[in-house]
Amino acid sequence: LNMGCSVPKVTRTGAGAALLRAPDRALAAGRALFEAAGPGRAGCKLRLGWDSRSPVYRDLARRLQDAGAAWLTLHPRFARQGFSGSADYAAFESLANDLDVPLIASGDLFSAADGIRCLERGASGVMFARGALANPMIFRQYLTMRAGGRAGGGVPAGTLRALIARHARLARTMTPGRPGRSGCSPALLKMRTVVPRYVRRLPGVKALRLGLVHCESWEELEALLDGFFTGLPGAEADDGSLPEPRSGNREDAPEVKP
């Protein structure tokens, strides 16, 4: 149950982090979820509170734990902060030491090393979000570091190209919908915003962004990417370990357990 989303279009409806302004309502929603899902199957994500005048996270976390939350996730910022300032991991560590259920870390996790530091501060696990938008390899790098290895340097251009291609195939499979006013499919519009995040550290991104604004077909996207990656060091290298996307049938999805 996400009580951490601070996006205005969400909080205006009373959802997301707006629930932190009404802890009793948040608890009632949590309890209903835990009862419906069954023991050990559901958790909640929190922020510190709506603003610095109302730090409700500690009391609400305890109440959710007692109501049956199997785990909790804390993004240690106030909702009014959005993503400004820095996440307060001292508050996170204090809460982690005060709970009996696992506490997952969220917020300012831009590298695998950031995730490892959270483990050192009492986190039972980490939830990568913005960090994964720029580097989907962050999950593999994190698991490598947890096993005692080194995450390595930047992602080779060829691996990035393979990731983008796989993402595009997934988008076309998993994002249905009719073309909007622009004539573009929802999946293509999404890819136009995602691609620059993947390649933001590579030369020529500014020109690629301009081309993406006018991209109206998958063929155009493919041509833009071919032009962008051609000649980049490592563009021909692909580690070959990226699995193909699964079918869009939800029955094929693996069961996820905490």
Side-chain angles (χ1 to χ4, degrees):
L1 177 59
N2 189 354
M3 304 179 193
C5 181
S6 60
V7 176
K9 69 179 181 180
V10 173
T11 58
R12 277 197 297 267
T13 70
L19 284 167
L20 300 175
R21 304 174 76 172
D24 289 342
R25 182 167 175 248
L27 180 64
R31 184 176 286 115
L33 175 64
F34 308 147
E35 291 176 357
R41 294 180 176 270
C44 298
K45 181 180 179 182
L46 311 172
R47 285 198 176 213
L48 298 176
W50 179 254
D51 56 32
S52 58
R53 296 172 298 179
S54 55
V56 301
Y57 70 101
R58 187 177 297 278
D59 180 64
L60 181 56
R62 289 191 189 121
R63 295 171 74 188
L64 288 166
Q65 171 185 266
D66 294 344
W71 70 89
L72 295 169
T73 300
L74 179 66
H75 181 151
R77 278 185 174 88
F78 292 97
R80 290 290 295 271
Q81 286 182 267
F83 295 100
S84 64
S86 299
D88 182 359
Y89 274 99
F92 179 95
E93 186 171 6
S94 176
L95 181 62
N97 292 331
D98 200 34
L99 294 177
D100 297 320
V101 297
L103 185 63
I104 311 301
S106 173
D108 291 357
L109 303 179
F110 297 112
S111 70
D114 292 336
I116 298 300
R117 281 191 287 272
C118 285
L119 298 184
E120 295 167 353
R121 303 202 69 161
S124 299
V126 296
M127 183 180 289
F128 290 110
R130 290 175 293 158
L133 293 176
N135 176 22
M137 300 292 286
I138 197 170
F139 303 102
R140 182 183 299 180
Q141 293 165 350
Y142 169 75
L143 292 174
T144 298
M145 291 190 71
R146 281 201 67 167
R150 298 182 61 183
V155 180
T159 302
L160 279 177
R161 181 69 176 88
L163 280 166
I164 294 171
R166 179 171 182 260
H167 194 154
R169 291 194 295 272
L170 281 167
R172 296 180 76 170
T173 301
M174 307 296 286
T175 310
R178 298 178 179 179
R181 294 179 181 177
S182 67
C184 295
S185 70
L188 181 59
L189 290 174
K190 176 61 70 175
M191 288 304 301
R192 282 169 33 172
T193 65
V194 166
V195 168
R197 293 179 181 269
Y198 280 106
V199 298
R200 63 192 180 96
R201 298 187 186 278
L202 297 179
V205 174
K206 190 172 182 179
L208 178 63
R209 286 182 190 273
L210 183 60
L212 288 169
V213 169
H214 301 287
C215 177
E216 296 183 349
S217 70
W218 293 104
E219 291 75 19
E220 286 183 60
L221 176 64
E222 188 70 19
L224 279 170
L225 291 172
D226 284 344
F228 176 78
F229 280 99
T230 297
L232 287 179
E236 301 301 322
D238 177 7
D239 63 12
S241 62
L242 299 176
E244 287 297 309
R246 300 171 66 91
S247 141
N249 187 342
R250 290 185 178 272
E251 294 180 357
D252 292 337
E255 182 179 4
V256 177
K257 296 182 179 179

